[in-house]
Amino acid sequence: MSFHAQILTLYPEMFPGPLGVSLAGRALEEGKWSCAPIHIRDYATDKHRTVDDTPAGGGAGMVLRADILAAAVDDALARQPTAPILAMTPRGAPITQARIRALASGPGVTVLCGRFEGFDERLFDARPQIEQVSMGDIVLSGGEIGALMLLDACIRLLPGVMGATSSGDEESFEQGLLEYPHYTRPSDWEGRMIPEVLRSGDHAKIAAWRKQRAEEDTRLRRPDLWGRYKDARVQPASNVQQKNKD
């Protein structure tokens, strides 16, 4: 069974887009995943195919209507009832690599792409199974770019997509840290040398250096990740000490 992605969008022509080339494109051709963009306007009820209206209470922009979106969501859920449904919105929780791995291990995903000022909040009250997610503390012109990012992150983890099964094991976030830095030939570039340890052939020393650099870079660049990483290391140690006391 392949990974199936449904995308509820006002711009179905954006899919598969860049996911039709490189690793994701080859996986699409090989049937490892499939893509079904669904036009939200197909669920409009008037001749103008209206999907939005002015915000209650006033303000700029337009808001996607709950009744139209609910019809699209319900149809998508009927087609793929076991797949989680995610709404791309800057109001959502930032997506994590752990969540991506969980999604990639399932049957697929349905992604709802926002536009304009966003969604009528009643949609989420009435359909609590919709998971609101974001790609970080940024605002895009629509959810489609975020959906492409999310799907790419999932697709590359599908069996057989990356060359080696261990290809992603040491990447950023997989162990709670940023990935260590990489180097390649030439060994001397503008007077800057590849670190000697990486040219030593001593695999134990290389592994230790990479772990040290991953920790150092995470501490300096992402103190939020570093804090969680330290807490995760302290917790198991505390559990062991408690068991020894018992």
Side-chain angles (χ1 to χ4, degrees):
M1 182 178 65
S2 67
F3 183 90
H4 182 60
Q6 295 186 122
I7 306 99
L8 301 173
T9 172
L10 291 175
Y11 297 96
E13 62 272 20
M14 292 181 69
F15 298 90
L19 299 180
V21 299
S22 190
L23 287 177
R26 186 161 58 249
L28 184 62
E29 292 177 357
E30 294 172 351
K32 291 183 171 65
W33 74 285
S34 56
C35 176
I38 300 170
H39 205 318
I40 294 173
R41 290 194 188 278
D42 290 344
Y43 300 88
T45 56
D46 66 331
K47 66 178 182 180
H48 300 295
R49 305 180 79 201
T50 305
V51 298
D52 57 350
D53 211 326
T54 55
M62 303 290 280
V63 177
L64 289 167
R65 287 171 44 173
D67 56 339
I68 306 301
L69 293 174
V73 165
D74 291 346
D75 189 33
L77 289 173
R79 299 185 196 193
Q80 198 174 12
T82 60
I85 179 166
L86 280 63
M88 306 304 303
T89 167
R91 286 170 46 82
I95 197 76
T96 64
Q97 187 66 14
R99 184 65 180 120
I100 291 294
R101 278 205 171 272
L103 292 171
S105 66
V109 64
T110 296
V111 186
L112 174 60
C113 300
R115 278 277 161 176
F116 315 127
E117 291 302 307
F119 307 102
D120 185 318
E121 188 67 17
R122 292 173 295 178
L123 173 70
F124 304 118
D125 296 335
R127 303 293 186 274
Q129 66 269 51
I130 301 175
E131 180 182 349
Q132 300 181 63
V133 300
S134 74
M135 304 311 292
D137 296 338
I138 57 173
V139 178
L140 303 171
S141 57
E144 287 79 11
I145 299 299
L148 289 167
M149 293 170 63
L150 184 148
L151 292 176
D152 180 74
C154 290
I155 293 162
R156 63 192 299 276
L157 297 180
L158 299 178
V161 173
M162 288 194 288
T165 56
S166 61
S167 293
D169 291 349
E170 294 183 343
E171 292 181 327
S172 292
F173 315 117
E174 289 294 346
Q175 307 298 328
L177 297 168
L178 298 180
E179 190 177 8
Y180 50 79
H182 292 280
Y183 300 85
T184 189
R185 290 186 290 269
S187 59
D188 182 349
W189 177 71
E190 293 189 351
R192 301 173 187 273
M193 300 294 297
I194 293 176
E196 183 177 352
V197 64
L198 298 180
R199 296 178 281 123
S200 69
D202 189 322
H203 297 295
K205 288 183 178 179
I206 291 172
W209 180 88
R210 286 174 169 172
K211 179 69 176 297
Q212 179 184 359
R213 281 301 308 267
E215 291 182 340
E216 180 181 342
D217 289 350
T218 303
R219 180 177 60 83
L220 293 174
R221 300 179 185 184
R222 290 291 303 273
D224 56 326
L225 281 180
W226 179 246
R228 291 197 293 270
Y229 174 73
K230 288 197 301 180
D231 291 344
R233 287 195 302 174
V234 169
Q235 187 65 36
S238 300
N239 291 340
V240 170
Q241 292 175 0
Q242 185 62 43
K243 288 181 179 179
N244 291 337
K245 289 180 180 179
D246 295 342

